[in-house]
Amino acid sequence: MDVKTLAARKGEHNMKDYKEAYEKFDWESVKSQFSWSETGKVNIAHEAIDRHADNPDKKDQVALIYSAPDREEKHTFEDLKFSSNKFANVLKKYDVKKGDRVFLFMPRSPEFYAAFFGILKVGAIAGPLFEAFMEQAVRDRLEDSEATMLITTPELLERVPLEQLPHLKQVVLVGDHDKTSDTFIDYHKEMDEASKDFDIEWVDLEDGMLLHYTSGSTGKPKGVYHVHNAMLQHYQTAKWVLDLQEDDVYWCTADPGWVTGTSYGIFAPWLNGITNVIRGGRFTPDDWYSTLSNHNVSVWYSAPTAFRKLMGAGAETAQKHDLSSVRHILSVGEPLNPEVISWGMKAFDLRIHDTWWMTETGGMMICNYPAMDMRPGSMGKPFPGIEAAIVDNDGNELPANQMGNLALKKGWPSMMRAVWNNPGKYESYFLGDWYVSGDSAYQDEDGYFWFQGRLDDVINTSGERVGPFEVESKLIEHEAVAEAGVIGKPDPERGEIIKAFITLRDGYEESDELLEEIRQFVKTGLSAHAAPREIEIKDSIPKTRSGKIMRRLLKSWELGLPTGDTSTLEE
Ligand code: 6R9
């Protein structure tokens, strides 16, 4: 279908009537879309790739349009089937088995996707890591997951402390290198030798496929564990919320190191057999607009932080590009500000549709559908088959317009099934039958949900979730820092920025150089997005009598708000 026809189709949607869908829908009905409902044999890689490659009408369709400043490639479903089969054979050769954790630490590239599906095809669990992570962040995740294999590039290998990772047996290197030891496997050499035929490992719907590490308010990042069954939700939300239709060209801007980049950057489009654009390289407004126009992107899923950056580049930048192919835009990750919605109306003549969900939910939960009346500022309504409510601290449902904890009735298909190696943490998410999100919200009389903020200390900076504990732990590793407390401080462009309060060790004096050195220490040790933009030196950090940092108090001081109950404050 050409661009004009696509644009003319604005207004024709997969879901006709939300109310009717909500009343009639149940998850069981989605199973019939997949052959495993008859054979009992399942693997999400088969459903996303091989199923289309084995269909004569679909095998030559472009599945992946890869676009980076120095590289443009198109791969059909058949190409992806063969490249992932080859990688699966490489894994088999090196004895990777069902349930093993295999991590990926590399930029988006066609090799990434071949490796990712190769991992799933042998029944192993994929652990994608954001390419900007530095040594500590990489080590914590590989250590906790006890990953036995890592796929990375020679450049990024420098941030992998191999000697501290006894479980990590092998490293696959994508790119030129001079490593000779048996630990290292050369990606291109092995792929050249591998067969393109592979007998996929059939698994159970409840078998694991993915580990995404994410931050809470205490402790190190947790490994959120997802299973093959999640495909039901990826598939159906893509139909009704992304509204993906046969000729669409879809672009999700998220990196697969974050859950949006896997659930909606990989599974949702390919389970539906849709052409998927992947853009590598750094962000510039011109590149992004060119990606939309050069590839005739029709459905676009991104985040407020990116929209704000495009907005900042001005209308002239947008006007240089033909954006008429775009028919549907969606957003996730942070509150969608009214200014961003008006910018979307001006630049695209489209209302940006907000969606709410989390790493732990695995898929969209509360959304704005093309088929419903939207209320600007609302996250929308629960997806059919999802029960959401606002609950108090004991799990009692609250009436309309009352603020509380946004909760979801457990049992949806893409729900996390465990926190890796941490059953206690997993249990702590639930109050009876409710999964409690940690976001505060209210629901209006008509069932729309309105986001209010986080109830815990988790920071959302440019749409990325950062746990204060991780940053505090890094800060106190610096020789000058005695204690540290970290908060999110509201910021018009980034949502929140990270602000650190520290006390200095004896013998250290405050200076701009020292503060910059400490900032760099976090940036190069942990990751750029976790580095505090502001650091303030204090005489002491407020703590409870049991020694917990009172971040709530730091935040109140910072914002000039009343400090509330301080009875647990240590002398
Ligand atoms: C998918 C993803 C989850 C947290 C979540 C909430 C915030 C996500 C939002 C939103 C306001 C939205 N969040 N969507 N806040 N409006 N539409 O982002 O997962 O990285 O785990 O973050 O992001 O606070 O609890 P994750």
Side-chain angles (χ1 to χ4, degrees), residues 47 52 96 104 153 177 210 228 238 279 286 314 397 482 485 505:
E47 304 301 336
H52 307 304
V96 173
L104 299 131
T153 63
H177 64 90
L210 194 58
H228 286 254
R279 202 196 139 73
D286 261 317
E397 282 184 57
R505 286 186 185 282

Side-chain angles (χ1 to χ4, degrees), residues 33 53 68 129 156 197 204 260 279 311 313 348 362 364 389 418 420 432 447 454 456 460 466 491 493 501 534 556:
Q33 300 296 326
L129 297 179
L156 291 176
D197 298 317
D204 189 84
T260 309
R279 202 196 139 73
M311 206 166 94
F348 293 91
M364 296 174 180
W420 193 257
R454 281 297 298 184
D456 57 19
N460 189 335
V466 176
D491 178 81
E493 193 189 307
F501 296 88
E534 287 181 20
S556 305

Side-chain angles (χ1 to χ4, degrees), residues 245-261:
Q245 303 175 25
E246 210 182 328
D247 305 296
D248 274 317
V249 176
Y250 167 75
W251 181 29
C252 167
T253 58
D255 187 274
W258 311 114
V259 72
T260 309

Side-chain angles (χ1 to χ4, degrees), residues 19-38:
K19 211 169 153 267
E20 191 186 295
Y22 196 78
E23 278 157 13
K24 290 197 180 145
F25 177 77
D26 78 76
W27 290 110
E28 279 301 306
S29 68
V30 186
K31 293 186 176 170
S32 64
Q33 300 296 326
F34 299 103
S35 55
W36 51 257
S37 63
E38 279 150 38

Side-chain angles (χ1 to χ4, degrees), residues 214 259-260 332-336 354-360 379 437 439 451 454 460 463 465:
T214 194
V259 72
T260 309
V332 65
E334 336 153 53
L336 183 60
D354 197 13
T355 62
W356 178 93
W357 57 290
M358 311 174 70
T359 307
E360 293 87 339
M379 305 186 286
S437 71
D439 280 2
F451 178 82
R454 281 297 298 184
N460 189 335
R465 229 168 118 172

